[in-house]
Amino acid sequence: RTKQSMADHEILVEEWGGEVPLVPVSALKKTGLKELLDTIKVQAEVPVQFALGYELRISNRVSADLQVGILTEPNTSIILSTLQALGTDEVVVLMIENAFQSGVVLEGGLKYNFRKYYAGVFVQQLLLTGKDTPYDLVEAAMGVDLSSYPSQTGRTRSNETTLTLESNLVQLGAVFGRRFSFKNERAEIDLELGISKNIYSTSSISSEVRNYETLSIAVNEYLASIYTKYAYVPSLTVAFSYRIGK
């Protein structure tokens, strides 16, 4: 009955071919709770970053920080959904989704601290490492016939199925966070919400079989316009901090 009522309002659950997850839960029987938590976790997915950083207190109110980290699955469902919702073609979203596996993050920022809270701005560089990108997705996204490109010197013409796509993104963002102190005054947990927008990017596409130099230039220009328009990256950060100075 619940599924039908939702369908009457044009809300389709996954079981009926829609995108809305529906998890049966019974408080009396204590069933479905684990599945509900798993579903909430998937729907709340954000980029996962493991980082090491250093924060320098410039004054009682102002601090600067630098950090380096590893970003796993940089194009997670929430980012890809944002790209598509803002107007990015579905084929391009699929190409980006299949292109990147992980990335290195370099970040620097300034924060203004008040009581247990802080707000700030940051510049972030995402070096996205490529993995095999499906041949047909590149052709569909760029509207080209890849078999027409010349072979690399010394390489025979062979049927390749994947290419290597790489991107280097520079993001400008803002954060708001709260510090939670322990009994040990040197240690604290920082909970931080952030949002960043792409301001610059370079991309390239390559192959061991064919020379895609001219295509790489076109891909760079095309993805640069996509990233600049649509690459808004939300983030949720939980960090453990330990003060080493006085």
Side-chain angles (χ1 to χ4, degrees):
R1 183 165 42 180
T2 301
K3 298 175 186 177
Q4 185 60 56
S5 298
M6 295 173 68
D8 291 341
H9 290 83
E10 300 183 353
I11 302 174
L12 295 180
V13 299
E14 291 175 342
E15 185 180 339
W16 287 15
E19 298 180 353
V20 179
L22 181 65
V23 181
V25 176
S26 173
L28 293 175
K29 297 179 181 179
K30 297 182 179 180
T31 59
L33 297 179
K34 180 180 181 301
E35 290 77 8
L36 177 63
L37 290 175
D38 289 343
T39 301
I40 292 174
K41 185 184 298 182
V42 171
Q43 295 302 108
E45 183 183 16
V46 295
V48 178
Q49 178 185 344
F50 302 95
L52 181 64
Y54 177 76
E55 183 174 357
L56 174 66
R57 283 278 182 164
I58 300 175
S59 68
N60 289 335
R61 295 289 188 182
V62 181
S63 61
D65 62 86
L66 295 171
Q67 68 179 40
V68 59
I70 300 296
L71 188 66
T72 62
E73 297 294 342
N75 298 288
T76 53
S77 59
I78 189 169
I79 300 177
L80 291 168
S81 297
T82 301
L83 284 172
Q84 194 165 357
L86 291 176
T88 308
D89 188 90
E90 185 176 359
V91 175
V92 178
V93 174
L94 288 173
M95 182 178 73
I96 295 173
E97 179 181 20
N98 284 273
F100 304 118
Q101 191 169 29
S102 62
V104 175
V105 182
L106 305 174
E107 183 179 310
L110 287 173
K111 294 175 181 175
Y112 180 80
N113 303 275
F114 50 100
R115 296 182 181 178
K116 295 182 179 181
Y117 299 90
Y118 60 87
V121 294
F122 65 88
V123 176
Q124 187 181 69
Q125 185 175 21
L126 306 178
L127 306 172
L128 304 183
T129 58
K131 63 177 182 179
D132 293 337
T133 307
Y135 191 90
D136 55 344
L137 282 178
V138 177
E139 286 191 320
M142 300 304 299
V144 296
D145 178 8
L146 295 181
S147 64
S148 65
Y149 284 81
S151 300
Q152 297 275 22
T153 304
R155 296 277 184 175
T156 58
R157 286 184 178 270
S158 61
N159 293 323
E160 58 186 341
T161 58
T162 58
L163 305 171
T164 300
L165 177 64
E166 297 179 328
S167 283
N168 173 15
L169 281 68
V170 177
Q171 303 283 125
L172 179 64
V175 296
F176 179 80
R178 188 186 192 283
R179 305 180 191 274
F180 297 87
S181 302
F182 292 99
K183 289 183 179 179
N184 182 342
E185 295 182 356
R186 290 180 177 271
E188 66 181 26
I189 292 289
D190 298 342
L191 180 61
E192 182 176 293
L193 291 173
I195 183 72
S196 67
K197 182 189 185 305
N198 180 257
I199 57 174
Y200 176 78
S201 71
T202 59
S203 300
S204 64
I205 196 164
S206 60
S207 160
E208 294 182 355
V209 178
R210 289 186 172 85
N211 184 340
Y212 292 118
E213 185 175 348
T214 56
L215 177 62
S216 189
I217 295 173
V219 167
N220 177 52
E221 293 177 351
Y222 181 59
L223 288 184
S225 67
I226 294 294
Y227 289 140
T228 301
K229 260 187 182 179
Y230 307 124
Y232 291 86
V233 181
S235 62
L236 171 62
T237 304
V238 179
F240 174 77
S241 301
Y242 187 83
R243 182 162 49 87
I244 56 178
K246 293 183 178 180

